[in-house]
Amino acid sequence: MSADRKFFVGGNWKMNGSKEAINGILQFLNDSKVPANTDVVCAPPMVYLPYVKERLQSGMQVSAQNCYKVASGAFTAETSPAMLKDLGVDWVILGHSERRHVFGETDELIGQKVKHALDEGMKVIACIGEQLQERENGLTEEVVFKQMKAIANNVNDWSKVVIAYEPVWAIGTGKTASPEQAQEVHARLRAWMSENINPAVGQSTRIIYGGSVNAKNCQNLGSQADVDGFLVGGASLKPDFITIINARC
Ligand code: 13P
């Protein structure tokens, strides 16, 4: 973390929840105080976005988990940034590993989505991360730089972008990257941004970590110099999320 980069914690609820379960989540979210200088953004399933937005405390924001690359048209089941903005939703997660690996989204499509969402005035949590075999073959840097480039080519305003480094092998597995592993990749990503975009962007862009973050490991991870927060899956559905948003307090 760095004093000039605001700590950022996102809760990616993925395809989980019901009104009843969400009422329980809202209770612990609304009972908590958001620490100073921290962004907290919750991403419920699309269908529950208005329900959550209407009930969530004003100190927290909501995000969609995905959106499409054009404003409207014959794209059955898709949601556009214009529609999200219409509901007052300003954030969207793009390029999540489940979108890439379960639904086959390519770097090219993710880049197009990033561009359109930013053009429409949204803020983007753009996800990247290597698979286990890629790490074991020493390809981590190559993979994340390639994903990063596909995103960076489509960004004009970096103040609207948060990069989420989520190693695929750490997502939902209980196998967290060690603080050193996370720091190493975050530092290289920051260096890549400084060299390939410009030093100011490298210095100011938040790079958050995702993959089995929990109430126990969040402090060590969050104390790393280049870890500016988290994208939390499973633990974002539980009161542990409150411990996580307070990780650097
Ligand atoms: P888990 O925290 O459940 O590992 O999920 C991480 C993630 O994919 C957040 O986007």
Side-chain angles (χ1 to χ4, degrees):
M1 69 179 174
S2 146
D4 46 358
R5 293 189 296 270
K6 194 173 179 185
F7 202 62
F8 184 105
V9 183
N12 177 7
W13 298 4
K14 308 193 178 183
M15 196 177 73
N16 292 295
S18 60
K19 274 199 207 170
E20 193 185 352
I22 288 172
N23 288 342
I25 295 170
L26 284 167
Q27 195 156 359
F28 67 73
L29 291 177
N30 290 342
D31 281 349
S32 73
K33 197 167 167 292
V34 176
N37 206 25
T38 302
D39 282 324
V40 178
V41 179
C42 298
M46 197 72 86
V47 71
Y48 291 116
L49 265 174
Y51 187 84
V52 173
K53 178 159 174 53
E54 280 158 23
R55 290 164 179 80
L56 187 64
Q57 64 153 300
S58 61
M60 297 182 180
Q61 304 171 75
V62 290
S63 173
Q65 297 174 12
N66 188 23
C67 68
Y68 198 49
K69 62 174 179 175
V70 295
S72 65
F75 302 103
T76 300
E78 292 296 324
T79 305
S80 71
M83 293 168 181
L84 294 169
K85 291 285 285 181
D86 195 30
L87 291 178
V89 176
D90 293 328
W91 284 96
V92 62
I93 299 172
L94 290 172
H96 190 275
S97 90
E98 286 140 25
R99 299 304 315 171
R100 292 175 185 269
H101 301 299
V102 181
F103 299 98
E105 291 195 10
T106 60
D107 273 344
E108 187 189 7
L109 176 61
I110 293 159
Q112 290 166 338
K113 288 183 175 195
V114 166
K115 180 171 186 344
H116 180 63
L118 291 171
D119 284 350
E120 293 283 306
M122 296 206 66
K123 294 183 260 193
V124 172
I125 303 165
C127 306
I128 58 178
E130 82 287 3
Q131 300 186 73
L132 183 59
Q133 208 171 4
E134 293 165 336
R135 173 165 282 261
E136 287 175 349
N137 291 336
L139 297 173
T140 299
E141 236 176 76
E142 190 178 313
V143 169
V144 296
F145 286 176
K146 181 168 172 283
Q147 293 170 335
M148 193 58 196
K149 187 169 176 356
I151 291 162
N153 286 345
N154 290 287
V155 175
N156 283 326
D157 181 355
W158 281 92
S159 70
K160 301 274 173 58
V161 178
V162 171
I163 297 294
Y165 169 59
E166 300 203 306
V168 180
W169 49 271
I171 296 177
T173 57
K175 213 173 156 190
T176 323
S178 67
E180 295 72 26
Q181 284 174 320
Q183 168 58 26
E184 186 183 19
V185 178
H186 284 224
R188 297 213 173 138
L189 287 168
R190 197 175 300 292
W192 186 94
M193 283 193 272
S194 293
E195 280 162 31
N196 293 278
I197 307 162
N198 65 58
V201 166
Q203 183 53 35
S204 61
T205 303
R206 290 171 292 181
I207 307 176
I208 62 175
Y209 168 79
S212 297
V213 175
N214 61 38
K216 288 209 179 88
N217 60 28
C218 62
Q219 277 195 342
N220 276 340
L221 283 162
S223 65
Q224 300 301 306
D226 290 293
V227 175
D228 303 313
F230 306 111
L231 190 55
V232 186
S236 71
L237 304 167
K238 300 188 277 191
D240 288 20
F241 190 64
I242 305 306
T243 308
I244 298 169
I245 69 174
N246 284 284
R248 67 159 205 190
C249 295

mmCIF file of all heavy atoms in Angstrom, residues 10-14 93 96-98 127 164 166-167 170-175 209-214 230-236, ligand 1:
data_model
loop_
_atom_site.group_PDB
_atom_site.id
_atom_site.type_symbol
_atom_site.label_atom_id
_atom_site.label_comp_id
_atom_site.label_asym_id
_atom_site.label_seq_id
_atom_site.Cartn_x
_atom_site.Cartn_y
_atom_site.Cartn_z
ATOM 1 N N GLY A 10 -12.817 -4.669 -3.022
ATOM 2 C CA GLY A 10 -14.006 -5.062 -3.763
ATOM 3 C C GLY A 10 -14.500 -6.406 -3.259
ATOM 4 O O GLY A 10 -13.703 -7.288 -2.915
ATOM 5 N N GLY A 11 -15.811 -6.545 -3.225
ATOM 6 C CA GLY A 11 -16.417 -7.837 -2.882
ATOM 7 C C GLY A 11 -17.112 -8.379 -4.113
ATOM 8 O O GLY A 11 -18.093 -7.793 -4.576
ATOM 9 N N ASN A 12 -16.574 -9.454 -4.665
ATOM 10 C CA ASN A 12 -17.185 -10.072 -5.853
ATOM 11 C C ASN A 12 -18.047 -11.239 -5.378
ATOM 12 O O ASN A 12 -17.522 -12.291 -5.026
ATOM 13 C CB ASN A 12 -16.067 -10.547 -6.799
ATOM 14 C CG ASN A 12 -16.614 -11.263 -8.017
ATOM 15 O OD1 ASN A 12 -17.834 -11.303 -8.239
ATOM 16 N ND2 ASN A 12 -15.729 -11.834 -8.810
ATOM 17 N N TRP A 13 -19.346 -10.999 -5.377
ATOM 18 C CA TRP A 13 -20.254 -12.034 -4.847
ATOM 19 C C TRP A 13 -20.449 -13.185 -5.831
ATOM 20 O O TRP A 13 -21.051 -14.204 -5.499
ATOM 21 C CB TRP A 13 -21.617 -11.419 -4.515
ATOM 22 C CG TRP A 13 -21.584 -10.354 -3.457
ATOM 23 C CD1 TRP A 13 -20.470 -9.832 -2.838
ATOM 24 C CD2 TRP A 13 -22.701 -9.667 -2.871
ATOM 25 N NE1 TRP A 13 -20.826 -8.870 -1.922
ATOM 26 C CE2 TRP A 13 -22.200 -8.753 -1.928
ATOM 27 C CE3 TRP A 13 -24.089 -9.727 -3.069
ATOM 28 C CZ2 TRP A 13 -23.027 -7.919 -1.177
ATOM 29 C CZ3 TRP A 13 -24.921 -8.890 -2.322
ATOM 30 C CH2 TRP A 13 -24.387 -7.999 -1.382
ATOM 31 N N LYS A 14 -19.962 -13.009 -7.048
ATOM 32 C CA LYS A 14 -20.127 -14.011 -8.113
ATOM 33 C C LYS A 14 -21.615 -14.391 -8.232
ATOM 34 O O LYS A 14 -22.482 -13.562 -7.965
ATOM 35 C CB LYS A 14 -19.221 -15.214 -7.857
ATOM 36 C CG LYS A 14 -17.766 -14.771 -7.615
ATOM 37 C CD LYS A 14 -16.751 -15.861 -7.661
ATOM 38 C CE LYS A 14 -15.368 -15.262 -7.457
ATOM 39 N NZ LYS A 14 -14.298 -16.237 -7.556
ATOM 40 N N ILE A 93 -16.647 -4.866 -13.043
ATOM 41 C CA ILE A 93 -15.506 -5.791 -13.089
ATOM 42 C C ILE A 93 -15.429 -6.334 -14.519
ATOM 43 O O ILE A 93 -16.442 -6.787 -15.062
ATOM 44 C CB ILE A 93 -15.712 -6.977 -12.113
ATOM 45 C CG1 ILE A 93 -15.832 -6.489 -10.663
ATOM 46 C CG2 ILE A 93 -14.578 -7.999 -12.252
ATOM 47 C CD1 ILE A 93 -16.240 -7.596 -9.669
ATOM 48 N N HIS A 96 -12.653 -10.892 -15.510
ATOM 49 C CA HIS A 96 -12.460 -11.828 -14.403
ATOM 50 C C HIS A 96 -12.060 -13.200 -14.948
ATOM 51 O O HIS A 96 -12.502 -13.599 -16.029
ATOM 52 C CB HIS A 96 -13.744 -11.934 -13.573
ATOM 53 C CG HIS A 96 -13.504 -12.704 -12.307
ATOM 54 N ND1 HIS A 96 -13.572 -14.076 -12.273
ATOM 55 C CD2 HIS A 96 -13.149 -12.302 -11.065
ATOM 56 C CE1 HIS A 96 -13.268 -14.479 -11.036
ATOM 57 N NE2 HIS A 96 -13.020 -13.420 -10.290
ATOM 58 N N SER A 97 -11.280 -13.928 -14.181
ATOM 59 C CA SER A 97 -10.766 -15.221 -14.695
ATOM 60 C C SER A 97 -11.899 -16.183 -15.034
ATOM 61 O O SER A 97 -11.767 -16.997 -15.945
ATOM 62 C CB SER A 97 -9.808 -15.855 -13.699
ATOM 63 O OG SER A 97 -10.482 -16.686 -12.814
ATOM 64 N N GLU A 98 -13.028 -16.063 -14.332
ATOM 65 C CA GLU A 98 -14.149 -16.955 -14.686
ATOM 66 C C GLU A 98 -14.760 -16.556 -16.026
ATOM 67 O O GLU A 98 -15.225 -17.411 -16.780
ATOM 68 C CB GLU A 98 -15.180 -16.966 -13.545
ATOM 69 C CG GLU A 98 -14.664 -17.778 -12.361
ATOM 70 C CD GLU A 98 -14.958 -17.186 -10.999
ATOM 71 O OE1 GLU A 98 -15.923 -16.421 -10.864
ATOM 72 O OE2 GLU A 98 -14.194 -17.488 -10.054
ATOM 73 N N CYS A 127 -9.328 -7.320 -14.502
ATOM 74 C CA CYS A 127 -8.649 -8.456 -13.857
ATOM 75 C C CYS A 127 -7.684 -9.157 -14.799
ATOM 76 O O CYS A 127 -7.976 -9.342 -15.984
ATOM 77 C CB CYS A 127 -9.681 -9.482 -13.398
ATOM 78 S SG CYS A 127 -10.975 -8.810 -12.347
ATOM 79 N N ALA A 164 -6.823 -5.629 -10.981
ATOM 80 C CA ALA A 164 -6.892 -6.717 -9.996
ATOM 81 C C ALA A 164 -6.017 -7.868 -10.481
ATOM 82 O O ALA A 164 -6.299 -8.451 -11.538
ATOM 83 C CB ALA A 164 -8.332 -7.174 -9.814
ATOM 84 N N GLU A 166 -5.247 -11.458 -10.035
ATOM 85 C CA GLU A 166 -5.853 -12.634 -9.422
ATOM 86 C C GLU A 166 -5.261 -13.888 -10.059
ATOM 87 O O GLU A 166 -5.717 -14.316 -11.134
ATOM 88 C CB GLU A 166 -7.362 -12.637 -9.647
ATOM 89 C CG GLU A 166 -8.075 -11.427 -9.074
ATOM 90 C CD GLU A 166 -9.560 -11.710 -8.820
ATOM 91 O OE1 GLU A 166 -10.265 -12.139 -9.744
ATOM 92 O OE2 GLU A 166 -9.988 -11.524 -7.675
ATOM 93 N N PRO A 167 -4.220 -14.467 -9.428
ATOM 94 C CA PRO A 167 -3.683 -15.712 -9.978
ATOM 95 C C PRO A 167 -4.768 -16.783 -9.972
ATOM 96 O O PRO A 167 -5.419 -16.999 -8.946
ATOM 97 C CB PRO A 167 -2.527 -16.067 -9.032
ATOM 98 C CG PRO A 167 -2.684 -15.203 -7.819
ATOM 99 C CD PRO A 167 -3.568 -14.054 -8.175
ATOM 100 N N ALA A 170 -5.189 -19.403 -7.326
ATOM 101 C CA ALA A 170 -5.505 -18.976 -5.955
ATOM 102 C C ALA A 170 -6.990 -18.653 -5.778
ATOM 103 O O ALA A 170 -7.438 -18.375 -4.671
ATOM 104 C CB ALA A 170 -4.668 -17.751 -5.586
ATOM 105 N N ILE A 171 -7.745 -18.695 -6.876
ATOM 106 C CA ILE A 171 -9.150 -18.277 -6.800
ATOM 107 C C ILE A 171 -10.035 -19.424 -6.335
ATOM 108 O O ILE A 171 -10.105 -20.468 -6.997
ATOM 109 C CB ILE A 171 -9.644 -17.744 -8.162
ATOM 110 C CG1 ILE A 171 -8.865 -16.478 -8.534
ATOM 111 C CG2 ILE A 171 -11.142 -17.473 -8.138
ATOM 112 C CD1 ILE A 171 -9.226 -15.904 -9.887
ATOM 113 N N GLY A 172 -10.659 -19.234 -5.193
ATOM 114 C CA GLY A 172 -11.615 -20.220 -4.680
ATOM 115 C C GLY A 172 -10.975 -21.529 -4.264
ATOM 116 O O GLY A 172 -11.667 -22.527 -4.076
ATOM 117 N N THR A 173 -9.658 -21.539 -4.128
ATOM 118 C CA THR A 173 -8.953 -22.788 -3.827
ATOM 119 C C THR A 173 -8.484 -22.854 -2.378
ATOM 120 O O THR A 173 -8.055 -23.904 -1.917
ATOM 121 C CB THR A 173 -7.696 -22.918 -4.712
ATOM 122 O OG1 THR A 173 -6.873 -21.758 -4.497
ATOM 123 C CG2 THR A 173 -8.071 -23.006 -6.180
ATOM 124 N N GLY A 174 -8.502 -21.726 -1.698
ATOM 125 C CA GLY A 174 -7.938 -21.670 -0.364
ATOM 126 C C GLY A 174 -6.413 -21.574 -0.412
ATOM 127 O O GLY A 174 -5.737 -21.506 0.611
ATOM 128 N N LYS A 175 -5.863 -21.555 -1.624
ATOM 129 C CA LYS A 175 -4.410 -21.501 -1.826
ATOM 130 C C LYS A 175 -4.045 -20.064 -2.169
ATOM 131 O O LYS A 175 -4.110 -19.649 -3.334
ATOM 132 C CB LYS A 175 -4.076 -22.419 -3.007
ATOM 133 C CG LYS A 175 -2.772 -23.117 -2.936
ATOM 134 C CD LYS A 175 -2.710 -24.103 -4.091
ATOM 135 C CE LYS A 175 -1.282 -24.408 -4.449
ATOM 136 N NZ LYS A 175 -1.203 -25.171 -5.709
ATOM 137 N N TYR A 209 -5.088 -7.266 -5.022
ATOM 138 C CA TYR A 209 -4.851 -8.710 -5.128
ATOM 139 C C TYR A 209 -6.160 -9.470 -4.879
ATOM 140 O O TYR A 209 -6.942 -9.100 -3.994
ATOM 141 C CB TYR A 209 -3.795 -9.165 -4.096
ATOM 142 C CG TYR A 209 -3.754 -10.663 -3.981
ATOM 143 C CD1 TYR A 209 -3.081 -11.433 -4.934
ATOM 144 C CD2 TYR A 209 -4.471 -11.329 -2.975
ATOM 145 C CE1 TYR A 209 -3.104 -12.824 -4.879
ATOM 146 C CE2 TYR A 209 -4.502 -12.711 -2.919
ATOM 147 C CZ TYR A 209 -3.819 -13.450 -3.871
ATOM 148 O OH TYR A 209 -3.864 -14.824 -3.823
ATOM 149 N N GLY A 210 -6.366 -10.548 -5.637
ATOM 150 C CA GLY A 210 -7.515 -11.426 -5.386
ATOM 151 C C GLY A 210 -7.111 -12.880 -5.470
ATOM 152 O O GLY A 210 -6.247 -13.258 -6.267
ATOM 153 N N GLY A 211 -7.749 -13.694 -4.646
ATOM 154 C CA GLY A 211 -7.468 -15.136 -4.639
ATOM 155 C C GLY A 211 -7.349 -15.625 -3.217
ATOM 156 O O GLY A 211 -6.301 -15.484 -2.593
ATOM 157 N N SER A 212 -8.485 -16.156 -2.698
ATOM 158 C CA SER A 212 -8.513 -16.720 -1.344
ATOM 159 C C SER A 212 -8.076 -15.734 -0.254
ATOM 160 O O SER A 212 -7.447 -16.113 0.733
ATOM 161 C CB SER A 212 -7.677 -18.004 -1.278
ATOM 162 O OG SER A 212 -8.235 -18.994 -2.138
ATOM 163 N N VAL A 213 -8.429 -14.476 -0.443
ATOM 164 C CA VAL A 213 -8.188 -13.495 0.627
ATOM 165 C C VAL A 213 -9.190 -13.763 1.745
ATOM 166 O O VAL A 213 -10.379 -14.000 1.476
ATOM 167 C CB VAL A 213 -8.352 -12.042 0.106
ATOM 168 C CG1 VAL A 213 -8.222 -11.037 1.245
ATOM 169 C CG2 VAL A 213 -7.341 -11.760 -0.988
ATOM 170 N N ASN A 214 -8.707 -13.739 2.972
ATOM 171 C CA ASN A 214 -9.615 -13.963 4.104
ATOM 172 C C ASN A 214 -9.225 -13.077 5.285
ATOM 173 O O ASN A 214 -8.268 -12.284 5.191
ATOM 174 C CB ASN A 214 -9.656 -15.454 4.478
ATOM 175 C CG ASN A 214 -8.289 -15.984 4.897
ATOM 176 O OD1 ASN A 214 -7.520 -15.285 5.556
ATOM 177 N ND2 ASN A 214 -7.988 -17.217 4.499
ATOM 178 N N PHE A 230 -7.838 -5.353 -2.220
ATOM 179 C CA PHE A 230 -8.201 -6.741 -2.555
ATOM 180 C C PHE A 230 -9.459 -6.801 -3.413
ATOM 181 O O PHE A 230 -10.330 -5.932 -3.332
ATOM 182 C CB PHE A 230 -8.495 -7.531 -1.274
ATOM 183 C CG PHE A 230 -7.376 -7.481 -0.274
ATOM 184 C CD1 PHE A 230 -7.526 -6.795 0.922
ATOM 185 C CD2 PHE A 230 -6.175 -8.114 -0.534
ATOM 186 C CE1 PHE A 230 -6.490 -6.735 1.845
ATOM 187 C CE2 PHE A 230 -5.132 -8.067 0.375
ATOM 188 C CZ PHE A 230 -5.293 -7.376 1.566
ATOM 189 N N LEU A 231 -9.550 -7.897 -4.172
ATOM 190 C CA LEU A 231 -10.828 -8.292 -4.751
ATOM 191 C C LEU A 231 -11.157 -9.638 -4.102
ATOM 192 O O LEU A 231 -10.438 -10.623 -4.282
ATOM 193 C CB LEU A 231 -10.730 -8.394 -6.279
ATOM 194 C CG LEU A 231 -12.068 -8.577 -7.004
ATOM 195 C CD1 LEU A 231 -13.061 -7.476 -6.654
ATOM 196 C CD2 LEU A 231 -11.861 -8.592 -8.519
ATOM 197 N N VAL A 232 -12.234 -9.634 -3.320
ATOM 198 C CA VAL A 232 -12.534 -10.750 -2.439
ATOM 199 C C VAL A 232 -13.733 -11.525 -2.987
ATOM 200 O O VAL A 232 -14.753 -10.918 -3.318
ATOM 201 C CB VAL A 232 -12.879 -10.216 -1.020
ATOM 202 C CG1 VAL A 232 -13.064 -11.370 -0.048
ATOM 203 C CG2 VAL A 232 -11.818 -9.240 -0.533
ATOM 204 N N GLY A 233 -13.619 -12.835 -3.068
ATOM 205 C CA GLY A 233 -14.734 -13.656 -3.508
ATOM 206 C C GLY A 233 -15.496 -14.199 -2.305
ATOM 207 O O GLY A 233 -16.290 -13.489 -1.672
ATOM 208 N N GLY A 234 -15.243 -15.457 -1.987
ATOM 209 C CA GLY A 234 -15.995 -16.148 -0.936
ATOM 210 C C GLY A 234 -16.140 -15.372 0.366
ATOM 211 O O GLY A 234 -17.243 -15.305 0.943
ATOM 212 N N ALA A 235 -15.049 -14.763 0.824
ATOM 213 C CA ALA A 235 -15.094 -14.075 2.119
ATOM 214 C C ALA A 235 -15.913 -12.786 2.062
ATOM 215 O O ALA A 235 -16.240 -12.214 3.113
ATOM 216 C CB ALA A 235 -13.683 -13.792 2.616
ATOM 217 N N SER A 236 -16.272 -12.322 0.858
ATOM 218 C CA SER A 236 -17.063 -11.090 0.781
ATOM 219 C C SER A 236 -18.526 -11.342 1.121
ATOM 220 O O SER A 236 -19.311 -10.403 1.270
ATOM 221 C CB SER A 236 -16.944 -10.439 -0.601
ATOM 222 O OG SER A 236 -17.625 -11.186 -1.586
HETATM 223 P P1 13P B 1 -12.009 -16.120 -3.749
HETATM 224 O O1 13P B 1 -11.730 -14.988 -2.775
HETATM 225 O O2 13P B 1 -13.236 -16.883 -3.429
HETATM 226 O O3 13P B 1 -10.784 -16.967 -3.941
HETATM 227 O O4 13P B 1 -12.296 -15.423 -5.167
HETATM 228 C C1 13P B 1 -11.447 -14.448 -5.634
HETATM 229 C C2 13P B 1 -12.061 -13.795 -6.798
HETATM 230 O O5 13P B 1 -12.230 -14.396 -7.852
HETATM 231 C C3 13P B 1 -12.500 -12.404 -6.659
HETATM 232 O O6 13P B 1 -12.850 -11.860 -7.881
#
